[in-house]
Amino acid sequence: MNYKTLKINPSDNIAVALTDLKKNHIINVNNKKYKLVNNIKAKHKFSTQKLNIGDPIYMYGVTVGTAKKNIKKGEQITTTNIIHETEEYSVPKKFKKKKWESPSIKNILKTTFKGYHRDDGKVGTENNWLVIPLVFCQNRNIEKIKKNMLKSLGYENQDNEDYDLSEIIEKYKSGANSDELLKVNLQKKRTQKKSNILFPNVDGIYFLTHEGGCGGTSYDSLTLCNLIAGYINNPNTAGATILSLGCQHAQIGILKRSLKKMCPKSKKPVYYLEQQKSKSENEFISDSIKKTFVGLTYANKIIRSPAPISKLIIGLECGGSDGFSGISANPTLGHLSDIIIALGGSAILSEFPELNGVEQELINRCSNSNIAKKFAQLMTNYNSKASELGSGFYANPSPGNIRDGLITDAIKSAGAAKKGGSSPVVDVLDYTEQIKKNGLNLLCTPGNDVESTTGLAGSGANLILFTTGLGTPTGNPAVPVIKISSNSSVYKKMKDIIDFNTGSIIEGKESVQECALELLKHIIKVASGKLESKARILDQNDFIPWKRGISL
């Protein structure tokens, strides 16, 4: 790498600008010289050969588009001259398992983290209590219980008003104009978080809200119950309080059946409350608080103790991606997931719209033909349904993605898939299905950040690693989310929401392998409760169930 440009795969016919490049500049890529036709911003691509209309565009060694105009050698690749295109995929009749060369783990074989051991053998990286509504009608009651419990038990800032508005109020009263008001520097009044916690072994009490449970299809309500059951079954969950109105589609009985099917021997305390069976709202909320309090006394009896890395189940996620994500942050996650899998642990790769174009590579990595067929069928069905509704996988890149170099879904997907490393695919899970096998699992979720992280936690991830090139605050109520930046610029600008930087790879200061080992040390601290993720510090606890309609 010359640290100005990068041609990722020898078969590629486009290269990436690692720094801003000037028009007419002579660039050396793999010992070949190119005169640039345009100014090219960092993260964007340029052609390394003359391309005619209809010619395929290759990046990461796969097809990521076709030329819709003649493209000169050294010309920038943009939405005006290429269009999304991917290769066909199929499950071969004769399925051959490939031998996997795992990374060296001899120096970290005895690495452990301190977690919460559950009766089913799983280990949580946190010990949380969840309060969840079965229907949106209960959101107000959830908020009332939250308001009454968090501060009293020491889980909230002593002063909820983060910003001191006294100066701007005084200026307004004295007749200040709009420009003067906008120049006021609001001072933060944040006090120490989580002081005087009554239950020190309970990491958090999280209050989920959503817009489902009734008024939609019965299938969506069943899916919601399966998702909530997955959150209760998550190794980070000590127990839960479930609030129901009583007449909605998502009934308590459906949730109980989902939970029994998912974890028949679970001993976690779960309290169910139905408002229509209560004498008054006051009694209903009072009972909810009392039962939650009793549950917390049980949860507080569990303490952290050493666990092997094989008990980690990492969710692999990306959001606000850029043209560097597939070069730095995502390959770092890929190498880290290979390390964890080599140590006996598990990884879950989600976001099926962002695997579009690399289906054949993943099919070839599947452990057997049945797993490969399930993956191929889920991908085909998802894309077909989205296309019928007018928004196939090709529509996935956001304006921010495109602005920062990801101009087709195939380019975005080829880089996003790097989070999955190189290990065999041991299982394919549909949305809300639980992880059962150690190794790399594929989980069908949308590419939407929060819907996907919500699904990862619902399928059993006890830690979520989230790469970003543009910056995102996303978190999760059940699982700590660690944000990893693809470039140093966004990390320096958004240190309050990003935990770890891989921009040193782009700058030529570190290798992917070195960054992955540093990231492993970081996640062990988070998994052991020694370090809070930025999303936890900011109380960023996003929960959006996926309605199986058009969501990319």
Side-chain angles (χ1 to χ4, degrees):
M1 191 189 298
N2 64 10
Y3 310 120
K4 288 187 177 180
T5 63
L6 175 65
K7 189 175 182 181
I8 296 169
N9 187 285
S11 64
D12 293 351
N13 53 15
I14 59 176
V16 186
L18 300 181
T19 62
D20 291 346
L21 304 175
K22 296 292 185 181
K23 180 180 177 179
N24 295 325
H25 191 70
I26 304 297
I27 284 292
N28 189 314
V29 182
N30 294 358
N31 296 320
K32 291 184 179 180
K33 293 183 178 181
Y34 304 88
K35 185 178 182 179
L36 297 179
V37 176
N38 325 85
N39 291 327
I40 299 174
K41 288 185 177 181
K43 307 179 186 180
H44 287 265
K45 291 85 183 168
F46 61 91
S47 176
T48 58
Q49 65 182 59
K50 182 182 176 183
L51 297 166
N52 297 317
I53 295 173
D55 283 350
I57 311 293
Y58 298 106
M59 187 176 177
Y60 297 98
V62 298
T63 301
V64 294
T66 55
K68 61 181 183 180
K69 291 183 178 180
N70 293 333
I71 302 172
K72 298 176 183 177
K73 184 165 65 173
E75 184 176 349
Q76 183 175 350
I77 300 298
T78 70
T79 54
T80 64
N81 58 25
I82 78 164
I83 191 169
H84 170 82
E85 186 65 54
T86 61
E87 298 170 3
E88 296 292 326
Y89 60 90
S90 63
V91 179
K93 292 181 180 179
K94 291 185 178 180
F95 204 82
K96 293 182 179 179
K97 287 176 64 176
K98 290 185 177 179
K99 187 178 179 181
W100 178 50
E101 292 185 16
S102 64
S104 174
I105 54 172
K106 61 181 181 180
N107 294 329
I108 52 174
L109 277 170
K110 296 181 180 180
T111 303
T112 62
F113 70 99
K114 280 194 171 183
Y116 296 95
H117 293 250
R118 307 297 181 190
D119 292 330
D120 58 4
K122 296 175 184 176
V123 179
T125 62
E126 290 183 333
N127 191 36
N128 299 320
W129 191 274
L130 304 181
V131 184
I132 314 173
L134 276 176
V135 61
F136 57 82
C137 306
Q138 291 302 307
N139 286 349
R140 174 179 173 274
N141 290 333
I142 291 285
E143 293 297 337
K144 289 192 75 172
I145 297 166
K146 177 180 179 180
K147 181 179 178 181
N148 280 274
M149 292 197 77
L150 286 188
K151 192 171 184 180
S152 299
L153 301 180
Y155 289 93
E156 191 179 65
N157 293 341
Q158 294 170 359
D159 191 334
N160 287 328
E161 189 177 59
D162 290 341
Y163 291 91
D164 184 352
L165 302 184
S166 58
E167 184 180 349
I168 196 169
I169 289 170
E170 287 304 314
K171 282 192 175 290
Y172 167 72
K173 287 180 177 179
S174 66
N177 60 35
S178 298
D179 289 338
E180 290 170 330
L181 294 176
L182 289 172
K183 291 177 182 177
V184 173
N185 184 20
L186 296 182
Q187 298 296 321
K188 277 200 142 187
K189 296 201 308 185
R190 184 179 294 274
T191 55
Q192 188 176 2
K193 185 183 176 186
K194 296 182 181 178
S195 58
N196 301 316
I197 291 179
L198 184 62
F199 302 113
N201 294 323
V202 178
D203 293 294
I205 312 168
Y206 295 104
F207 297 80
L208 285 60
T209 57
H210 57 81
E211 302 304 318
C214 200
T217 66
S218 57
Y219 177 75
D220 280 337
S221 293
L222 175 60
T223 301
L224 176 64
C225 287
N226 288 337
L227 179 68
I228 293 172
Y231 269 66
I232 296 169
N233 188 45
N234 189 287
N236 288 8
T237 302
T241 305
I242 306 298
L243 270 60
S244 168
L245 178 61
C247 57
Q248 74 277 352
H249 284 138
Q251 288 283 301
I252 288 175
I254 298 174
L255 175 58
K256 285 183 175 179
R257 286 194 292 274
S258 294
L259 198 55
K260 187 174 182 180
K261 183 178 179 181
M262 196 174 287
C263 45
K265 297 181 180 180
S266 176
K267 296 179 182 179
K268 292 180 181 179
V270 182
Y271 302 111
Y272 301 91
L273 296 104
E274 190 166 292
Q275 188 169 10
Q276 289 173 348
K277 290 182 178 179
S278 197
K279 292 178 182 178
S280 67
E281 182 184 274
N282 179 62
E283 180 186 72
F284 180 68
I285 291 175
S286 178
D287 285 347
S288 301
I289 291 173
K290 287 187 288 186
K291 288 186 177 180
T292 300
F293 191 95
V294 170
L296 291 168
T297 65
Y298 295 128
N300 194 50
K301 295 176 182 177
I302 307 168
I303 62 172
R304 290 185 183 271
S305 58
I309 297 299
S310 60
K311 295 297 182 180
L312 283 181
I313 305 169
I314 58 169
L316 306 170
E317 179 70 26
C318 59
S321 299
D322 71 347
F324 287 160
S325 292
I327 301 171
S328 56
N330 292 345
T332 296
L333 257 62
H335 191 71
L336 177 64
S337 66
D338 283 349
I339 290 171
I340 288 173
I341 288 166
L343 288 166
S346 303
I348 309 175
L349 179 62
S350 57
E351 302 177 291
F352 273 26
E354 296 179 12
L355 301 179
N356 182 219
V358 292
E359 294 96 338
Q360 194 63 56
E361 177 188 326
L362 290 167
I363 285 170
N364 295 342
R365 286 169 57 185
C366 287
S367 297
N368 59 58
S369 60
N370 289 333
I371 295 171
K373 287 175 183 176
K374 183 175 181 180
F375 172 63
Q377 194 63 55
L378 283 170
M379 286 293 288
T380 301
N381 292 347
Y382 191 167
N383 196 19
S384 296
K385 186 174 182 179
S387 297
E388 286 171 9
L389 295 169
S391 190
F393 286 167
Y394 63 86
N396 180 253
S398 70
N401 295 149
I402 294 168
R403 185 189 67 232
D404 274 51
L406 302 177
I407 59 176
T408 71
D409 183 61
I411 289 176
K412 184 178 180 181
S413 296
K418 296 301 178 184
K419 300 191 301 291
S422 62
S423 67
V425 176
V426 298
D427 207 357
V428 173
L429 311 172
D430 200 355
Y431 186 66
T432 76
E433 287 186 330
Q434 300 296 286
I435 184 169
K436 295 178 180 177
K437 297 179 181 179
N438 290 354
L440 179 63
N441 292 251
L442 305 182
L443 171 64
C444 185
T445 73
N448 177 283
D449 303 354
V450 179
E451 287 177 318
S452 185
T453 51
T454 297
L456 283 166
S459 287
N462 58 8
L463 203 63
I464 294 174
L465 307 181
F466 191 124
T467 66
T468 183
L470 307 178
T472 174
T474 303
N476 183 269
V479 179
V481 177
I482 298 171
K483 248 68 67 57
I484 297 118
S485 67
S486 69
N487 63 88
S488 298
S489 176
V490 74
Y491 177 70
K492 291 173 184 175
K493 183 173 66 174
M494 305 181 83
K495 270 190 174 182
D496 55 336
I497 66 172
I498 297 176
D499 301 86
F500 189 89
N501 180 34
T502 63
S504 54
I505 296 170
I506 301 297
E507 296 153 11
K509 297 174 182 176
E510 281 186 296
S511 67
V512 165
Q513 293 76 15
E514 288 168 334
C515 261
L517 288 172
E518 286 180 27
L519 181 56
L520 177 62
K521 293 175 184 176
H522 185 96
I523 70 170
I524 287 171
K525 289 179 183 177
V526 175
S528 301
K530 294 179 180 179
L531 183 67
E532 271 195 307
S533 68
K534 297 296 176 65
R536 280 284 183 254
I537 293 170
L538 295 172
D539 289 322
Q540 186 80 28
N541 304 309
D542 304 301
F543 178 79
I544 302 180
W546 180 26
K547 291 183 178 181
R548 300 294 287 267
I550 183 167
S551 184
L552 297 177

